[in-house]
Amino acid sequence: MFITNPLKRPAAKIGLALGGGFARGIAHVGVLRAFERRGIPVHAVAGISAGAMVAAAFACGCDSYDIEKVGRSMRFRDVARWTISRLGFAGSDRMITFLKRLLKEDRFEKMKMPLAIVATDLGTGEPVVFRDSGDVVVPIRASCSYPGLFTPIKYDGHCLVDGAISMEVPAAPLRHMGANRVISVHLPNPVMCPDPSSMFAVVNRSFQVMSSRLEREWRRHSDLVISPAVSDLAWDSFDSATKMIELGEKAAMDAMPTIERWLDRNNVITTEDLPRAV
């Protein structure tokens, strides 16, 4: 006989994890645009570093065109101020003004969807996940505090730096926010010469080595990984916004068959999905 009564499956709740990449983070805009074009619902979003900025903007109700407009005009001087400090070459206080221009809301509890921002506690080495309530700006500044370049953010007795130190792509927090399908957007690192020519290049190369060790962990929490082909673009490629958005959209569109299959097949279990009894 055949089982003919279809059963309801839990609806797909998509979580979107946006990794870092500084200027290359504008590739995330292309990913969001592909989701908008195909009407893909997002249940929750999480971000690290540049991905934290985009995630917060998306969560507060900005669409991809809103984010693109601000992202295209962004330059290093908009988020950093050179300073004399033993802890870093630049302060991120200018980021406060920039984020006010980008975000429609600046508190977690006012977001249109659940949002998580990840930074790293320099003392413990552990990730710090900000979500649910409180100010959004300070966590974003902390998540963007690239060691050596930006001075760390002191907050609530903690010294916070770039979230990518402890969690390259924030896939894991989305599982705790109700997502049952996690899509991670990973921006591949630029290919660098093994013999760097500056201190910043040494730090950047060290990050690349470290991130390769962390990759297995965030991939374990991901159902799908989208990787825009931005590895040939430098960390400060602000002038390549058009290309990066196109690459982000292309990578997301390539993943659409899988994403749309989740949405089509997760609502109802058909007789084709069930074993037959003779």
Side-chain angles (χ1 to χ4, degrees), residues 74-94:
M74 177 183 172
R75 293 296 182 268
F76 183 75
R77 63 180 176 273
D78 295 321
V79 296
R81 176 179 54 83
W82 296 114
T83 186
I84 300 174
S85 171
R86 293 176 297 174
L87 301 179
F89 288 114
S92 62
D93 51 302
R94 288 183 179 176

Side-chain angles (χ1 to χ4, degrees), residues 106-110 131-137 139 155:
D106 61 3
R107 295 190 65 82
F108 284 96
E109 61 268 28
K110 292 185 177 181
R131 47 175 282 205
D132 299 333
S133 64
D135 174 61
V136 168
V137 173
Y155 178 77

Side-chain angles (χ1 to χ4, degrees), residues 141-247:
R141 290 178 63 201
S143 187
C144 292
S145 294
Y146 193 94
L149 177 59
F150 286 104
T151 56
I153 298 296
K154 301 293 182 65
Y155 178 77
D156 196 24
H158 300 275
C159 184
L160 303 176
V161 294
D162 197 320
I165 294 289
S166 56
M167 186 186 296
E168 187 183 11
V169 181
L174 291 168
R175 297 292 183 186
H176 300 290
M177 298 162 69
N180 54 24
R181 294 289 189 180
V182 173
I183 300 172
S184 291
V185 184
H186 175 241
L187 304 180
N189 286 312
V191 177
M192 288 190 60
C193 173
D195 185 21
S197 57
S198 69
M199 182 190 71
F200 184 71
V202 171
V203 174
N204 197 35
R205 179 57 183 160
S206 298
F207 259 79
Q208 291 179 10
V209 173
M210 180 189 66
S211 65
S212 68
R213 304 293 192 270
L214 297 173
E215 186 171 351
R216 179 180 297 179
E217 179 64 17
W218 63 259
R219 283 186 179 272
R220 183 171 65 87
H221 294 285
S222 307
D223 295 293
L224 178 67
V225 177
I226 295 174
S227 294
V230 296
S231 61
D232 62 337
L233 296 168
W235 67 276
D236 58 349
S237 301
F238 293 103
D239 293 333
S240 300
T242 298
K243 179 179 181 180
M244 289 187 285
I245 292 171
E246 290 174 352
L247 291 171

Side-chain angles (χ1 to χ4, degrees), residues 38-108:
R38 301 302 283 263
I40 303 300
V42 176
H43 168 73
V45 63
I48 281 176
S49 194
M53 291 186 183
V54 177
F58 184 58
C60 73
C62 297
D63 63 22
S64 64
Y65 294 95
D66 295 328
I67 304 171
E68 177 185 359
K69 182 179 179 180
V70 177
R72 281 185 178 278
S73 66
M74 177 183 172
R75 293 296 182 268
F76 183 75
R77 63 180 176 273
D78 295 321
V79 296
R81 176 179 54 83
W82 296 114
T83 186
I84 300 174
S85 171
R86 293 176 297 174
L87 301 179
F89 288 114
S92 62
D93 51 302
R94 288 183 179 176
M95 197 178 294
I96 299 172
T97 301
F98 175 81
L99 291 173
K100 286 182 178 179
R101 184 157 53 98
L102 173 65
L103 304 178
K104 296 180 179 180
E105 301 288 353
D106 61 3
R107 295 190 65 82
F108 284 96

